[in-house]
Every structure is written in structure tokens, then in C-alpha cells.
Amino acid sequence: MAKFKGKALLPTSFVFNHLVPNFFRDLNYLHILRHPFRRYFYANNPEKEIPVSQISLRVNEVCNLRCGSCGQWGENGHLRKKLENGEKLQALDFDVVKRLVFETRRDHPMYYIWGGEPTMWKPLLPLFEELAKYKLYGSIVTNSQALEPILEDLIDTGSLNILFLSLDGWDSDSQNIMRSPASGKKSDNFEKTMAIIEKTHAIKKRKNLSMPLVMPITVISNENYMHLAEIHRLVLDTTQLHPYYYGWFITEERAKAHEKVFEDRFGYVPKNHQGYLKSCFNDVDPAVCAEQIAKIKAMSKGHPSVPQFLPDIYSQSDITRYYEDHTWHCGYPECESIYHVAEISPDGRITPCRDYQDYSCGNINDQSFYSIWNGPEFKKFRAEMKKGLMPVCTRCCGLQGF
């Protein structure tokens, strides 16, 4: 056993006000405690066979919005390029997912459901019904566009423990600029997102539920950095945690450096990282951003919604460094998620990295999960990452947001 390591990403007030009470309400959550214990107290060994703490299902590739901050459908998004090239967009097979849930049930992993847009994956509700059979829990990351018809049914399964909702704007016009519809028509995404927050709050109150925890996600960008406090004011009393992301993006210089390092380590040139070449973060003013963060921290006192900043930097100097110095890992020198999280792509590939999914360890469509998770390709990736981060890793949510 090693000494305590790593950063505690969750704010203390959120842990004690919202998480700890649920451990006493539902003893099934005690199974989950082994995961952070292993994460913070055990040394990472690339050769050791290990349990899985989180299974991240990217259930599909389609999306009904085109958001500038997105590495998949943004200006250089790899799925945008895929669609332009006439390639078929993929989706996970539900029978394969059911087999996966059954196979891994004894590890009690948390399920993280995203896409694309997961509400456009038809078996989303059946998946949570399947999780409920084994008393497992999952979260959904959604833009809210198509969630309302199944929201209460999802909550009634008892397996939806976190609802992540994209909220980048402070009013309709701002949200709809940053999260524009794929159709090009006028969007009502702000109204739909706020309606989901209010409806979830009402359902929980009516049924005396503490779950799901509602967590709006705000990506700080050129469009909204001067309005961050206004966004938090919208959700002060109806949500439990409000994560702000500074944005996962890379530069041309880092992209080229990454291609060389990746090819040296693994023998081929990666491609998916190109989706993280984005211009929507180029004009964020660190001084204004720091002022907004101070306002958010002050305004949140005494309210249920706890703000969180990822990575956890707050000063003007650190924010400036985040945007200008991509060699800086922000205090996260080692990738830990590769020892805890399995990323499963819509085509069935299991990859070690959420953002940069060029390295495949196997395919769940024709292999058992543990033959991949504890297999030679995954162990090789873990061993290579022991040599140090790759150039794009310093701006990866798997590094700083896990």
C-alpha cells in the first residue's frame, strides 16, 4: 500500500452535504467506497490485474447540436470529419452492453453514459433498468434536447445517480449561440436545459429523493467567461454541484509534438487529437475570469449548489498559464484514470483515454471485458504512460477531470 496520493477533486462541502448522506440512505453505495480508497491509497502497477472502477460508455456518435467546445462535433471535430467523408456513424449494441454489465457486476463499477448525445440512443432507459437489476449506478452527460420524455422513468429506476447537463449560457440567446442545433434552425436548448433542472428538482421533492444529483457543466469560453457568475446564479438552489471546465484544447505545436511521441511509443500516427484544435478558448481574459470565480465562490455560500473548477486553479496567473503554457500539467503529473476507467467507443473498441481515442486495447463486440482490461495492450499503454505524459495529455479531461 502506498501513501495517500493525487488530488481530491470533489469540494469538501459537496462531499459532506450531498454524498455522505446518501451512503447512509443506501447501503449499496458502500460498494463504491472501495474505488476512491484504491485510487488514493494504492500504488499504480501496470503489470497487475485490477478491478474496474468506472465504465465509460460512449453509446453513440450522433448528436443534435454542434457546439464549438466539442472535440467530436466542433470546428475540427473528428466526427464532423467522419460525417463529411461519408462514413457511417456508430452506436453500441445493447445486447453487448448487457453482457458487459453482467460480466463486470461484481466490481460494482460506476457507469458514465455519454456520446454523441446519449438521449438519441434508444436503449438508454433499458440500460438503466438493466443496471437496476444488479443494484448498479450510472450517470448521464446530456445536452437535454431529448431527455424530458424519459426523465421520470430514468429516475424511477433508482440507478440514475448523477445527471450532467450542458449549461454554457446565462440566457437563451447566449446558450443557443454556443450550443447551436445541427439542423441550423433556431434552438431552444437553454429553455430545455433549465426545464430539465426544474423538473428533476420537482420530482425529487415530490418523491422525497436525494438522487439523482444534478450537475450543470459549464465550459468556459470566449463567449461566456465574463458571465460565469450569472450562470451559477441560475442554479444556486436547484443543483448540487456546478463544475466549470476551462476547456480541453491543444495547439498546433502540441499536436505535432504529440504525433511524434505517440508514433515513437506505439508505432503509428494518431488522428483524433485534431478535434481538440479549437479557437473558442483563444480570447478568454484571465483577469475577468478570476474575478468571476471569486464572485461565484462568494455567492454560493449557504446555497445547495457547490461550484467546482477543473482543473482546480483560481488565480489570474494560473489561469493565464493554463491558456498559454501547454507544457504545464496543472499539478497532475501522472494519468491515473487508465488504472480505474475503461472507455468504450460506439464501435466496441475499449480505449484507455476519453479524449484521445486512437489507441485501442481490444473490442468488446468479440472479446470478454477482462481479457481486454487486464490484457497485454492495456498493460502496454499503462507501462508507456509511466514514462511520462504525452504532449496533448496536459489538456485532457481524463487527466484533470477524473
Side-chain angles (χ1 to χ4, degrees):
M1 185 178 289
K3 291 182 179 179
F4 182 88
K5 59 187 177 62
K7 290 191 174 186
L9 295 177
L10 292 175
T12 303
S13 55
F14 169 73
V15 171
F16 285 101
N17 293 337
H18 299 299
L19 284 188
V20 172
N22 281 294
F23 288 125
F24 291 99
R25 291 190 186 101
D26 187 346
L27 293 180
N28 284 314
Y29 279 101
L30 295 177
H31 291 296
I32 300 170
L33 287 177
R34 76 178 83 172
H35 301 316
F37 187 84
R38 185 171 67 87
R39 174 185 175 189
Y40 288 119
F41 290 96
Y42 280 79
N44 295 326
N45 183 345
E47 294 302 319
K48 186 178 180 181
E49 294 199 352
I50 51 179
V52 61
S53 299
Q54 177 178 304
I55 294 178
S56 178
L57 296 179
R58 190 158 65 96
V59 293
N60 61 1
E61 294 183 325
V62 298
C63 189
N64 41 24
L65 295 185
R66 295 292 181 267
C67 309
S69 60
C70 180
Q72 299 181 53
W73 288 103
E75 59 192 288
N76 291 301
H78 59 89
L79 293 183
R80 179 189 287 261
K81 303 289 185 185
K82 185 175 183 177
L83 188 65
E84 289 173 354
N85 292 335
E87 299 176 53
K88 181 182 178 181
L89 298 178
Q90 302 288 329
L92 277 171
D93 182 276
F94 183 49
D95 287 335
V96 173
V97 174
K98 285 196 293 184
R99 172 169 58 80
L100 171 71
V101 171
F102 182 80
E103 184 181 356
T104 60
R105 68 196 185 284
R106 289 188 178 86
D107 277 347
H108 292 273
M110 299 293 292
Y111 279 79
Y112 181 88
I113 315 302
W114 66 304
E117 170 49 42
T119 58
M120 298 179 70
W121 188 62
K122 290 183 179 179
L124 183 61
L125 178 58
L127 168 58
F128 278 84
E129 292 170 339
E130 193 71 15
L131 294 179
K133 290 181 184 178
Y134 305 105
K135 298 182 179 179
L136 300 174
Y137 301 99
S139 59
I140 300 173
V141 185
T142 174
N143 61 32
S144 303
Q145 282 291 98
L147 179 60
E148 196 277 334
I150 60 171
L151 175 63
E152 189 156 1
D153 289 337
L154 282 167
I155 294 173
D156 286 343
T157 66
S159 281
L160 178 62
N161 69 336
I162 303 176
L163 190 56
F164 292 103
L165 304 170
S166 301
L167 182 64
D168 288 346
W170 58 97
D171 58 19
S172 294
D173 289 342
S174 57
Q175 173 89 350
N176 297 335
I177 287 173
M178 288 177 275
R179 296 192 170 273
S180 57
S183 64
K185 298 178 181 178
K186 182 176 174 58
S187 174
D188 59 354
N189 186 248
F190 179 81
E191 291 85 351
K192 286 191 174 183
T193 301
M194 295 306 299
I196 290 294
I197 292 173
E198 294 294 338
K199 183 172 181 177
T200 305
H201 183 68
I203 291 171
K204 289 166 62 178
K205 188 175 182 179
R206 169 164 48 90
K207 297 188 175 185
N208 193 28
L209 301 173
S210 58
M211 292 292 186
L213 300 174
V214 180
M215 302 183 187
I217 295 176
T218 299
V219 180
I220 300 170
S221 70
N222 300 343
E223 303 287 345
N224 67 4
Y225 69 87
M226 68 293 285
H227 297 280
L228 303 180
E230 291 176 62
I231 300 172
H232 190 55
R233 188 175 290 111
L234 294 169
V235 299
L236 274 173
D237 297 310
T238 51
T239 67
Q240 288 70 56
L241 187 71
H242 186 181
Y244 285 83
Y245 292 149
Y246 289 99
W248 318 119
F249 70 107
I250 59 176
T251 64
E252 291 279 3
E253 179 185 14
R254 297 296 279 182
K256 291 177 182 177
H258 175 67
E259 289 166 14
K260 183 179 186 309
V261 172
F262 190 99
E263 186 175 20
D264 288 345
R265 290 188 182 185
F266 304 113
Y268 57 95
V269 177
K271 296 180 180 179
N272 286 351
H273 66 293
Q274 295 289 332
Y276 289 84
L277 290 165
K278 307 171 190 175
S279 61
C280 59
F281 305 114
N282 293 349
D283 297 321
V284 173
D285 186 323
V288 174
C289 194
E291 291 172 0
Q292 287 289 306
I293 289 171
K295 287 183 181 179
I296 290 168
K297 292 171 74 174
M299 110 175 23
S300 65
K301 293 178 180 177
H303 293 273
S305 189
V306 179
Q308 178 188 29
F309 298 89
L310 296 168
D312 50 344
I313 55 176
Y314 310 94
S315 68
Q316 178 181 342
S317 59
D318 279 348
I319 297 170
T320 299
R321 189 178 180 188
Y322 179 85
Y323 289 111
E324 295 182 357
D325 179 9
H326 279 248
T327 66
W328 184 40
H329 53 58
C330 306
Y332 300 82
E334 181 182 353
C335 182
E336 295 184 8
S337 68
I338 54 178
Y339 296 90
H340 302 273
V341 183
E343 301 288 342
I344 303 182
S345 297
D347 59 3
R349 290 178 303 115
I350 295 185
T351 66
C353 183
R354 180 177 303 167
D355 284 347
Y356 309 113
Q357 299 174 338
D358 293 283
Y359 185 93
S360 177
C361 299
N363 196 300
I364 196 66
N365 287 322
D366 46 41
Q367 295 172 261
S368 67
F369 174 80
Y370 289 105
S371 69
I372 303 172
W373 175 247
N374 289 316
E377 295 301 322
F378 225 125
K379 288 180 178 179
K380 177 183 177 181
F381 191 88
R382 292 176 184 131
E384 288 292 333
M385 292 303 291
K386 276 289 186 182
K387 299 175 182 177
L389 299 174
M390 290 184 284
V392 298
C393 296
T394 59
R395 296 298 176 270
C396 171
C397 67
L399 181 78
Q400 299 167 349
F402 166 67

